[in-house]
Amino acid sequence: MGLFGIFNKSKKETLDKGLEKTKQSVFSKIARAVAGKSKVDDDVLDNLEEVLITSDVGVDTTLKIISRIEERVARDKYVSVSELNSILRDEIAALLTENNSIDNENWDLPSDHAPYVILVVGVNGVGKTTTIGKLAYQFKKAGKKVYLGAADTFRAAAVEQLSIWGERVGVPVVKQQMGADPASVAYDTLSSAKANGADVVLIDTAGRLHNKIGLMNELKKIKDVMKKVIPQAPDEVLLVLDGSTGQNAFEQAKQFSAVTQITSLAITKLDGTAKGGVVIGISDQLKVPVKYIGLGEKMEDLQLFNKTQFVDSLFNIEK
């Protein structure tokens, strides 16, 4: 069993509820796209293309999906509109599989070293610090010793918010005064975590994308300093994105990928939006696995992303 436990009925209910607005939006659009049609033809495919693009799947990813469906229609000669949801589900699942979106349910910390270091990046307002707090809760619940590092030293509110999460979860937060060198905070955090036998370290960082060169240099310096304490650090660079911003989240992802190597994604706030299709597009275009999705305010509402369960929930398939 993985760190976050098995995918059970409670988690499925959270996932189904979290994707409800996306499902209602997408399927009402699909119903209009096929209205009065008995088979999938060029008109239906044109309408479906518009549905996917306006559902924040993204243009390039949408064109891939439409091309796959066109090939299927050409091969099978006749495809009824009643089969369209099933075909669409199959093609999206296949796309997620090809794009490294592994099913994370059995993911666990590596056994060959500790602590496991996660550098968390993302612009302000996407739920970055909250995601760190929820991850700390999940790791601690799994019996792991967790340390947090407040390396977003440019906003007093960020350090304060992380400190509140540390108190709430019951894990130590390493911090310095506002304006301190973020790399220094990272160094202190890893040194303390290593000395005290921590299993996991989560480092918060500033998300000032308007200053790309400054951000690039800052993240490089943080990584270089980390390696002085733990040579393989960071084990993971986790980019947090706000799913409710749709294609803006995709643009942020592209910009962050340009300044540092991203190894995993957390997409938050999916419960309050009809833009859940952005998960598909971001995964496809970046070739970076979606690892976590945020589906509500409660600590348990941050789930490991399971592509099979995600697609099944999106298409209302019971298993």
Side-chain angles (χ1 to χ4, degrees), residues 168-271:
R168 188 182 301 172
V169 177
V171 299
V173 179
V174 177
K175 56 189 176 182
Q176 296 182 13
Q177 71 275 17
M178 184 180 169
D181 181 2
S184 174
V185 177
Y187 183 91
D188 286 353
T189 305
L190 264 61
S191 298
S192 183
K194 186 177 179 181
N196 288 283
D199 299 299
V200 186
V201 179
L202 295 149
I203 305 284
D204 192 11
T205 61
R208 298 161 299 142
L209 254 184
H210 60 276
N211 182 2
K212 288 186 187 178
I213 295 175
L215 178 63
M216 184 187 298
N217 292 339
E218 182 179 299
L219 291 175
K220 183 181 184 302
K221 185 178 178 183
I222 289 173
K223 287 180 179 179
D224 289 346
V225 165
M226 281 180 168
K227 292 183 188 304
K228 292 180 180 179
V229 185
I230 301 173
Q232 86 284 347
D235 295 278
E236 192 175 327
V237 180
L238 176 67
L239 172 62
V240 181
L241 300 166
D242 179 350
S244 70
T245 63
Q247 286 302 295
N248 283 340
F250 178 50
E251 289 303 316
Q252 285 178 20
K254 284 200 299 186
Q255 291 180 57
F256 265 100
S257 294
V259 300
T260 192
Q261 183 182 12
I262 305 299
T263 62
S264 59
L265 302 170
I267 302 181
T268 67
K269 306 182 186 180
L270 290 175
D271 56 305

